[in-house]
Amino acid sequence: VAIPLSFTKTIVDNLPPVISAKTNQNRNTDNAICGYAAIGTEFDVTVTDNCSTYSLNYKLNSGTPVVASTLSGTVFATGTTAVTWTASDGTNTSTRTFQVTVVDDDFPTISEQANITANINSGCGSVVNWTTPTAGDNCSGVVLAQILGPVSGSTFPVGTTAIQYRATDAAAHVT
């Protein structure tokens, strides 16, 4: 009695997914935030795989991977953030890393202060008080300093006296 020949053939997927290359990116801060919010697909990658089935995730620096196919709306803080995209077809994995560097290019602001006119009640000067202006910036760390003239509550002589304030932010921008 002849025994039929039987055997199995196993096909192994040894081709990893291919992730499109991204170069390092430089952006300036958005006016309203101390960072940059990704717009549309500017930091996204495309993936191709011989079996057409893959999963995609990203992580920022050494953070937790996020299963997603887009970075749209992700806020990048000032400084440099490493973006690592990972694609897996269940057997093989590919990664692609690039950097997004965000620079604070926004100058601080100082609230408006109206000119002050005061009359002399006695002597040859007048005590003048005002509310110190406030400084603001899209990033924390703004410092306000009076750099010219007597401080509020001082006695001012007859005539015009200039008062000047300066705001400096953490990126050394001065207003």
Side-chain angles (χ1 to χ4, degrees), residues 127-164:
V127 174
V128 179
N129 292 291
W130 64 87
T131 302
T132 302
T134 57
D137 193 53
N138 63 327
C139 295
S140 62
V142 65
V143 175
L144 179 70
Q146 184 176 344
I147 60 168
L148 181 66
V151 298
S152 177
S154 297
T155 300
F156 285 78
V158 173
T160 301
T161 304
I163 308 296
Q164 190 174 35

Side-chain angles (χ1 to χ4, degrees), residues 1-22:
V1 168
I3 300 177
L5 176 65
S6 68
F7 62 93
T8 60
K9 179 68 175 158
T10 304
I11 307 297
V12 177
D13 178 6
N14 61 354
L15 298 174
V18 176
I19 302 173
S20 63
K22 279 289 183 188

Side-chain angles (χ1 to χ4, degrees), residues 26-137:
N26 296 306
R27 298 292 186 272
N28 294 322
T29 52
D30 295 335
N31 290 334
I33 60 173
C34 187
Y36 176 79
I39 300 168
T41 61
E42 68 181 324
F43 301 140
D44 297 351
V45 294
T46 56
V47 179
T48 56
D49 187 60
N50 59 309
C51 292
S52 299
T53 303
Y54 60 87
S55 63
L56 184 62
N57 69 62
Y58 70 86
K59 71 177 181 175
L60 304 179
N61 293 325
S62 58
T64 303
V66 175
V67 176
S69 60
T70 186
L71 285 168
S72 182
T74 300
V75 175
F76 291 83
T78 55
T80 301
T81 301
V83 177
T84 302
W85 284 100
T86 302
S88 174
D89 63 12
T91 304
N92 305 291
T93 301
S94 294
T95 61
R96 183 71 72 174
T97 300
F98 63 95
Q99 296 179 337
V100 176
T101 301
V102 178
V103 176
D104 178 8
D105 67 333
D106 297 315
F107 284 76
T109 60
I110 300 174
S111 62
E112 291 291 324
Q113 182 75 17
N115 290 331
I116 299 170
T117 301
N119 294 320
I120 295 176
N121 291 329
S122 65
C124 197
S126 182
V127 174
V128 179
N129 292 291
W130 64 87
T131 302
T132 302
T134 57
D137 193 53

